Amino acid sequence: MSNPTHLQYTKEHEWLAAAVDGVSTVGITAHAADALGDIVYVQLPAVGDTVTAGETCGELESTKSVSDLYSPATGEVTEVNQAVIDEPALVNSEPFEGGWLFKVRVEATDELLDADGYTAFTGA
Amino acid sequence: MSLRLTALDALHRSLGATMTDFAGWDMPLRYGSEREEHLAVRTRAGLFDLSHMGEITVSGPQAGELLDHALVGFISALGVLRARYTMICREDGGILDDLIVYRTAEDEYLVVANASNAQVVLDALTERAAGFDATVRDDRDAYALLAVQGPEANGILAKLTDADLPGLKYYALLPATVAGREVWLARTGYTGEDGFEVFCAPADAEHLWTALTEAGTAEGLVPCGLSCRDTLRLEAGMPLYGHELSTELTPFDAGLGRVVRFDKTTNGGEFVGRKALEEAAAQAESNPPRKLVGLVSEGKRVPRAEYAVVDAEGTVIGRITSGAPSPTLGKPIAIAYVDAAHAEPGTAVAVDVRGRAEPVEVVALPFYKRAR
């Protein structure tokens, strides 16, 4: 699956959408979801939590392993995706769409990659 | 060192498999969703490439006596065309590997070792063969191994062979012609389902894989990788070497003392590890150390291998050996060694899942048993 050009990416395989009214949506990439295999449990930060760019803010469990979720941005969490909590497989089937994880009021980000940069980074 | 490839390597790649290094072999981890592959084996059928397994042929007039000496089982008592689950131990009782031994003829046996231990087993058998009129042959390159597992396995095989499948009992084997190729057809597996393992010439592997795939299409057979093989065996409560079994443990520690046959009559009853295993048996009887149990969680976070099992005070009372989300039960399950005082089914304990205690209940193994 190709990486959408309207998103920005981290080397920890999260994506960050452009802000709408200062709020950005966060998810993990198709590459990451594919590497994890079937995701069975998603632990997300709570609404109102402050997350910090580059630091862990949750975890994703798959059949074979557990992986930390790193926030691509610093800011307050405004919404979490209840649909992926109820049905974690959405992260596998729609990583860039219905499988989004949370929304954050972005104060700052680390250096992010564009789609071409991320694609090159993953060696795809 | 480059990875070893099975005879089906090109086929796995054409199917888009995610590959993984398993004991030096490049093996399919999964083709699509490992959960779907798991459920296919439970409800329909799955096709596996297990060519990494280590085949060793032991033959000669004293082949049975050699195996009685080298392994803990009473192998010479096995009927021709029957199979047995057994172990090979060190002199101190530590488990070198768990094995399936197939008696292929009056004076010939096929020993199947785990890929990770195949060389160790081969070396031990060769060394232990001294003084016996028997030969030990490395047949790892002589066989590819396919497995068809699941409730539809019998019907799928029946389309490709005239072999007497109804007469082929669990833990038995037959020389058979499948899809026009000569194979050893065994009713064995590592999934908790009915099924077959097909030992064939590597040159025939692709033909057989394709024929089985075509024969199984209507029944919903899918290719399956090692990821679902692991969750299938875990649900079935079957041990995996390197997790539940190791050189630090005896068969009695693992709750599998039944494989040790002190009643063997060959070689004057002597076999490698006997003395240490008698002591281990006595200790298991009077003062068991830790016991192998199942754990089921009502939560969502998964207890995984090496995590600590703790009591209500947070004291470590055991360690997880294998853990995964169970596709069949829909909740996390694990196998663990726990102190005997906490090993009773129904006991409430917890697992330290990365710093947070997750409540789990001790249950008897297996987690899953198929309806017969």
Side-chain angles (χ1 to χ4, degrees), chain B residues 33-108:
Chain B
S33 156
E34 60 244 315
R35 187 174 172 278
E36 292 303 318
E37 292 169 19
H38 180 113
L39 295 173
V41 173
R42 286 278 179 260
T43 58
R44 306 190 303 273
L47 179 59
F48 297 82
D49 177 10
L50 305 178
S51 299
H52 60 309
M53 300 297 285
E55 296 87 0
I56 300 163
T57 298
V58 178
S59 57
Q62 289 189 305
E65 284 88 341
L66 161 57
L67 291 171
D68 285 345
H69 163 69
L71 312 182
V72 299
F74 193 178
I75 307 301
S76 65
L78 197 57
V80 174
L81 301 183
R82 289 302 172 97
R84 178 81 25 103
Y85 176 76
T86 187
M87 294 187 188
I88 181 167
C89 290
R90 301 192 303 199
E91 200 64 72
D92 70 359
I95 303 165
L96 282 174
D97 200 11
D98 62 338
L99 311 162
I100 295 182
V101 178
Y102 300 85
R103 188 167 193 174
T104 47
E106 185 60 35
D107 60 357
E108 187 179 88

Side-chain angles (χ1 to χ4, degrees), chain A residues 33-43 59-68 85-86 88, chain B residues 18 29-30 32-36 226-227 230-231 300-304 307 323-325 353-354 356:
Chain A
D34 200 47
L36 284 169
D38 290 337
I39 294 167
V40 296
Y41 173 58
V42 177
Q43 187 188 47
E59 57 188 32
L60 299 165
E61 294 238 22
S62 65
T63 302
K64 292 304 268 183
S65 65
V66 58
S67 297
D68 284 323
I85 294 170
D86 296 340
Chain B
T18 299
L29 182 64
R30 55 187 148 85
S33 156
E34 60 244 315
R35 187 174 172 278
E36 292 303 318
L226 294 184
S227 181
D230 190 41
T231 48
K300 293 191 168 174
R301 300 172 83 224
V302 182
R304 296 186 187 272
Y307 289 5
V353 180
R354 298 181 297 286
R356 207 167 82 206

Side-chain angles (χ1 to χ4, degrees), chain B residues 72-221:
Chain B
V72 299
F74 193 178
I75 307 301
S76 65
L78 197 57
V80 174
L81 301 183
R82 289 302 172 97
R84 178 81 25 103
Y85 176 76
T86 187
M87 294 187 188
I88 181 167
C89 290
R90 301 192 303 199
E91 200 64 72
D92 70 359
I95 303 165
L96 282 174
D97 200 11
D98 62 338
L99 311 162
I100 295 182
V101 178
Y102 300 85
R103 188 167 193 174
T104 47
E106 185 60 35
D107 60 357
E108 187 179 88
Y109 300 80
L110 179 63
V111 177
V112 180
N114 283 297
S116 54
N117 292 326
Q119 191 62 49
V120 168
V121 175
L122 183 65
D123 291 347
L125 286 177
T126 304
E127 188 190 320
R128 294 174 190 186
F132 288 92
D133 187 3
T135 57
V136 175
R137 187 174 73 223
D138 179 1
D139 265 348
R140 280 178 287 185
D141 292 337
Y143 291 105
L145 176 57
L146 278 57
V148 187
Q149 300 279 304
E152 301 289 349
N154 187 79
I156 294 165
L157 252 296
K159 296 181 192 179
L160 298 174
T161 182
D162 294 331
D164 177 20
L165 297 182
L168 182 59
K169 295 191 169 63
Y170 190 52
Y171 269 74
L173 80 162
L174 278 174
T177 304
V178 175
R181 301 298 199 273
E182 302 297 314
V183 305
W184 280 109
L185 182 62
R187 200 157 207 147
T188 45
Y190 193 50
T191 61
E193 297 300 330
D194 183 25
F196 301 88
E197 293 183 308
V198 183
F199 295 87
C200 66
D204 292 337
E206 231 181 88
H207 172 80
L208 283 161
W209 178 281
T210 305
L212 287 162
T213 300
E214 285 168 6
T217 303
E219 284 80 3
L221 172 137

Side-chain angles (χ1 to χ4, degrees), chain A residues 96-121:
Chain A
F96 294 118
E97 290 131 19
W100 64 275
L101 299 176
F102 63 91
K103 296 186 181 184
V104 55
R105 187 171 299 282
V106 178
E107 294 167 13
T109 66
D110 279 346
E111 199 177 329
L112 298 170
L113 302 168
D114 64 10
D116 285 346
Y118 178 71
T119 303
F121 171 70

Side-chain angles (χ1 to χ4, degrees), chain B residues 253-277:
Chain B
D253 294 326
L256 290 164
R258 62 182 166 77
V259 305
V260 181
R261 292 287 299 272
F262 294 120
D263 62 336
K264 299 187 215 194
T265 50
T266 43
N267 309 313
E270 283 307 308
F271 58 94
V272 178
R274 176 166 190 134
K275 189 166 174 296
L277 289 168

